[in-house]
Amino acid sequence: MTDFQRIILVHYHEIGLKGHNRASFETRLLKNLEALLAPFPVVTIHRISGRLCVFLREGTDWDTAVEASEVAGRVPGVARVSSGFKCERDLDEMARAAVLALSEAGEFSTFKVAARRNHTDFATGSMEMNQIIGGALCEACPDKGVRMKNPDVTVGVEVVQNASYVYARSVPGVGGLPVGSSGKVVCLLSSGIDSPVATWKLARRGAVCIGVHFSGRPQTSDASEYLVDDIARVLERTGCIARVYTVPFGDYQREIALTVPPELRVIMYRRLMFKVAEALAARERAGALVTGESLGQVASQTLDNIRATDDAVDLPVFRPLIGTDKLEIIREAERLGSYEISSQDAPDCCTLFMPRSPETHAKLPVVREAESVLPVERWVAELVEAAEVRDYACPAYKPKPRRDAGGAGQGGAEDTARA
């Protein structure tokens, strides 16, 4: 415990490049952090000098402060997180805080001081502060060296209008833009490895993500639905998913399998999925669809087949993993924390009624003709009506009241329909 108030300085990069609308991005990030750090002893969060400062309750211990900073670092829009202290604008106090901050920075051999004053009413300039505080650190850590270029630790000292902020431990964040600053998208979310990563990548670009999971139920068990819920809970930790629609798709796949040529089944499944996702996107006022497809990874992901599925909808379809190989996607899933969940076996619609030799180079006229015998519009309406909804904690999402068995829908992580 320390007599200094602990703080977490949240640095951002991309937001800082914005022009007149920069304040709206900062405000969105601040609100996201307020909500996601609610379990921690946060007093308030303020904007200061191109960053956000999280003030922790006096007496907060080191472990709690570290845990809070790690949560903050995983929030989209955060480039770097520094842990330190607030103290008076007094050189002796600043030096004492710097010694304490450096002692909590972990293992290091070299360091430097980077001091600056944001108000000239503080008499001591930056160079002199560097010398005075650096001298105190050398005296406290005689076995450590000073290195001006690429030190192991940089001790930051910032003098603002009414206080000073001193920090040393600094960890990288995920970067990007705050969720809620780039509109809304609907993500086709399976229990596999790829689509959760694709969803996270769009959230990291500031989009509010609405998931749509196509379950093989009632032709298969509902095991995939529970895995998708587990994946959504992982994404929820940093506000990266707002809602998931679960669509019981198995009977419609069976009807397709009985009607269309076997080699076109997969394309017909996906065209119907896209149409249902587009209808749900209209309900949510979302501007695009998102999939986890990677070019050439499976039969449905060739250029011709991608064109054949995109033809089913008017909305743009984003594929953030299109040029990424499987090993890269797995590494991303491991960092995200979804890989172990996605590695569990569960029957889902992706493997239901699969043909032995799926078409890899579909021709649009052939696809459209095969689809023309299906009651697609009726099916889309039925599937949208049958979709079951589950909400997750996303600070940037304000759900509208919805019609379902539970009558819920006013936010939070309330479960409906399949409770």
Side-chain angles (χ1 to χ4, degrees), residues 77-90:
V78 175
R80 185 162 52 90
V81 178
S82 301
S83 304
F85 304 98
K86 174 187 175 183
C87 64
E88 296 179 6
R89 300 200 317 172
D90 176 87

Side-chain angles (χ1 to χ4, degrees), residues 287-308:
L289 305 182
V290 180
T291 79
E293 292 166 300
S294 173
L295 187 62
Q297 187 167 266
V298 295
S300 66
Q301 297 173 17
T302 64
L303 284 176
D304 290 329
N305 288 4
I306 286 172
R307 183 186 176 210

Side-chain angles (χ1 to χ4, degrees), residues 191-193 196 227 230-231 234 237 329-346:
S191 61
I193 295 169
L227 294 183
D230 288 343
I231 290 167
V234 171
R237 295 172 192 165
I329 297 170
I330 287 172
R331 285 195 293 269
E332 292 275 10
E334 289 172 337
R335 284 194 289 268
L336 175 61
S338 61
Y339 178 71
E340 289 188 7
I341 301 169
S342 297
S343 297
Q344 299 177 52
D345 290 329

Side-chain angles (χ1 to χ4, degrees), residues 115-396:
R116 69 173 184 171
R117 56 178 183 175
N118 294 328
H119 290 270
T120 55
D121 61 348
F122 187 72
T124 309
S126 300
M127 292 296 294
E128 191 174 353
M129 281 194 287
N130 285 338
Q131 294 170 358
I132 293 170
I133 295 171
L137 293 174
C138 288
E139 185 176 338
C141 307
D143 58 330
K144 308 297 183 183
V146 176
R147 179 184 293 170
M148 301 311 294
K149 290 187 177 181
N150 301 317
D152 297 328
V153 178
T154 297
V155 179
V157 180
E158 298 192 21
V159 180
V160 296
Q161 191 167 12
N162 299 311
S164 296
Y165 304 118
V166 181
Y167 53 91
R169 182 181 181 272
S170 197
V171 295
V174 299
L177 296 171
V179 173
S181 62
S182 300
K184 196 182 300 180
V185 297
V186 164
C187 306
L188 279 70
L189 185 61
S190 75
S191 61
I193 295 169
D194 303 344
S195 58
V197 175
T199 300
W200 180 82
K201 282 184 173 291
L202 262 293
R204 185 175 169 271
R205 297 310 307 157
V208 172
C209 294
I210 308 293
V212 179
H213 175 60
F214 291 92
S215 169
R217 176 163 55 94
Q219 298 293 327
T220 68
S221 75
D222 58 0
S224 70
E225 300 172 32
Y226 292 97
L227 294 183
V228 166
D229 180 55
D230 288 343
I231 290 167
R233 299 291 176 189
V234 171
L235 292 163
E236 180 187 38
R237 295 172 192 165
T238 49
C240 289
I241 195 162
R243 171 176 280 186
V244 173
Y245 289 89
T246 298
V247 180
F249 198 62
D251 284 346
Y252 296 83
Q253 283 186 267
R254 182 176 180 274
E255 289 299 315
I256 290 172
L258 292 172
T259 307
V260 305
E263 65 273 13
L264 294 180
R265 285 179 194 170
V266 175
I267 293 170
M268 292 303 169
Y269 299 158
R270 293 195 64 76
R271 282 176 65 93
L272 182 56
M273 289 178 188
F274 276 33
K275 288 178 182 291
V276 173
E278 184 177 53
L280 291 171
R283 176 179 290 188
E284 291 287 346
R285 296 182 181 177
L289 305 182
V290 180
T291 79
E293 292 166 300
S294 173
L295 187 62
Q297 187 167 266
V298 295
S300 66
Q301 297 173 17
T302 64
L303 284 176
D304 290 329
N305 288 4
I306 286 172
R307 183 186 176 210
T309 51
D310 282 4
D311 172 71
V313 295
D314 294 323
L315 282 180
V317 181
F318 296 156
R319 295 177 171 87
L321 307 182
I322 195 68
T324 311
D325 67 37
K326 196 67 177 184
L327 290 178
E328 292 173 309
I329 297 170
I330 287 172
R331 285 195 293 269
E332 292 275 10
E334 289 172 337
R335 284 194 289 268
L336 175 61
S338 61
Y339 178 71
E340 289 188 7
I341 301 169
S342 297
S343 297
Q344 299 177 52
D345 290 329
D348 64 15
C349 68
C350 295
T351 56
L352 188 60
F353 304 119
M354 286 291 289
R356 291 184 178 180
S357 302
E359 177 64 72
T360 57
H361 298 287
K363 303 297 186 289
L364 266 179
V366 176
V367 170
R368 289 170 179 166
E369 182 179 359
E371 188 182 66
S372 66
V373 302
L374 303 175
V376 173
E377 290 186 11
R378 175 168 62 82
W379 284 358
V380 170
E382 290 173 356
L383 286 164
V384 168
E385 189 63 27
E388 300 159 2
V389 185
R390 181 167 291 180
D391 282 345
Y392 298 87
C394 175

